[in-house]
Amino acid sequence: DAGVIQSPRHEVTEMGQEVTLRCKPISGHNSLFWYRQTMMRGLELLIYFNNNVPIDDSGMPEDRFSAKMPNASFSTLKIQPSEPRDSAVYFCASSLPGQGVLDTQYFGPGTRLTVL
Amino acid sequence: AQSVTQPDIHITVSEGASLELRCNYSYGATPYLFWYVQSPGQGLQLLLKYFSGDTLVQGIKGFEAEFKRSQSSFNLRKPSVHWSDAAEYFCAVGREYGNKLVFGAGTILRVKS
């Protein structure tokens, strides 16, 4: 299997622009997670989906952030408008169904976002 | 609420030496505990996990971890470090219900030859 696929790998944008990050989970995985990693705050869970339904979005920092999972093989994380403090590495992860948190999460390579 | 503390931001060990990375957690019930490794430019990879049973857990790449409830710790060990082990290591805690993991700040391991 190709693993979790994220695109783009790097994104540089200007403040105020809309940014869309994309994720394709491993086929057959029904849980999908979006994380943000920064030096200051470490690795934070933003939102996770089970069977395409958002379960916990308490980590989404504010209304500028939104995430969707229109089908089992695709998810997006959108930031509109973007701000310099959104600069971070954004990871997508997926896991098999069955054991909740015990299911191994498989991480993608991440998208490094820089907002100027 | 769950929390994880990794007291060491950086650790440097010589190749072939033993390694112990510290992790302390805070959680009211029985925790589910994990160690992940992140190589430069890569996503995280699961090394091992603990949820019940034998408190000494074996993982991939020769790593092991020991759960000590009395100390609220889940330290990661390796008897002999290889240069390829240089990476950042994250401890994480989860709860019985739900999928949410809370990660520590990470420990960067440097291996000197």
Side-chain angles (χ1 to χ4, degrees), chain B residues 13-106:
Chain B
V13 300
S14 298
E15 191 169 15
S18 63
L19 170 70
E20 182 169 30
L21 302 182
R22 295 184 291 164
C23 172
N24 293 97
Y25 67 89
S26 173
Y27 183 53
T30 299
Y32 292 1
L33 295 161
F34 307 78
W35 276 100
Y36 279 82
V37 61
Q38 183 180 25
S39 298
Q42 305 287 319
L44 279 71
Q45 180 185 23
L46 180 67
L47 287 175
L48 47 80
K49 60 187 174 185
Y50 169 82
F51 60 99
S52 68
D54 192 344
T55 56
L56 185 63
V57 182
Q58 302 297 320
I60 62 171
K61 305 186 180 189
F63 285 92
E64 66 179 26
E66 187 171 13
F67 171 59
K68 293 185 177 180
R69 183 186 299 276
S70 61
Q71 298 177 19
S72 298
S73 70
F74 189 57
N75 294 349
L76 182 71
R77 302 194 293 247
K78 187 169 185 177
S80 178
V81 169
H82 187 262
W83 64 266
S84 61
D85 294 324
E88 189 162 14
Y89 292 79
F90 293 89
C91 183
V93 63
R95 57 187 183 190
E96 183 175 359
Y97 300 105
N99 294 68
K100 189 170 182 175
L101 290 178
V102 174
F103 286 85

Side-chain angles (χ1 to χ4, degrees), chain A residues 83-102:
Chain A
E83 297 182 3
R85 59 194 169 116
D86 302 329
S87 297
V89 180
Y90 291 81
F91 289 102
C92 176
S94 69
S95 67
L96 278 166
Q99 295 182 296
V101 74
L102 289 177

